[in-house]
Amino acid sequence: MQEGPVMGDLTEDVFAVERPWGQFRQFVGNETVTVKIITVEPGHRLSLQRHRRRSELWHVVDGPVEVWVDGDRWTAETGQDVWVPRGSTHRLGNPGRMPARVLEVAFGDFDEADIERLEDDYTRD
């Protein structure tokens, strides 16, 4: 299923730097990426999916969120990072009462047509 080089877990490159005014957190440097904020409404979830041409780093901005990656399922809290390797089966859901937001950094060839949906609550292909 994998095409091209397999990217390692880039969450290892996430770091924080203290400054007199506070701090900043860097998620990526000098890489080709697409960045977006995903908002998941309470009780909803994204399709169970995978991508052949990209890996993803999710940073939970407002959580908690339910995460599924390659058969493992857990709750990620606000501030936590989740690595989604290229080709892995994954899903994101919101079990809470408020909208949940996740910062997504996609590494690789980004194209929404690259989504292979395996299950979908909204009957999309």
Side-chain angles (χ1 to χ4, degrees), residues 44-115:
H44 290 267
R45 61 187 184 172
L46 283 65
S47 60
L48 181 65
Q49 58 187 256
R50 65 179 159 219
H51 312 287
R52 286 188 272 179
R53 299 188 308 264
R54 70 178 187 255
S55 300
E56 296 171 345
L57 168 64
W58 295 341
H59 175 75
V60 182
V61 176
D62 301 308
V65 294
E66 282 188 284
V67 174
W68 294 258
V69 178
D70 282 338
D72 292 327
R73 183 177 176 176
W74 70 95
T75 300
E77 301 292 338
T78 299
Q80 288 187 301
D81 298 324
V82 175
W83 179 247
V84 181
R86 180 188 338 212
S88 67
T89 301
H90 60 280
R91 172 179 263 166
L92 180 65
N94 180 358
R97 297 175 191 243
M98 300 294 292
R101 294 185 305 153
V102 172
L103 173 75
E104 178 184 88
V105 181
F107 297 85
D109 183 16
F110 186 88
D111 181 354
E112 289 292 336
D114 184 38
I115 298 172

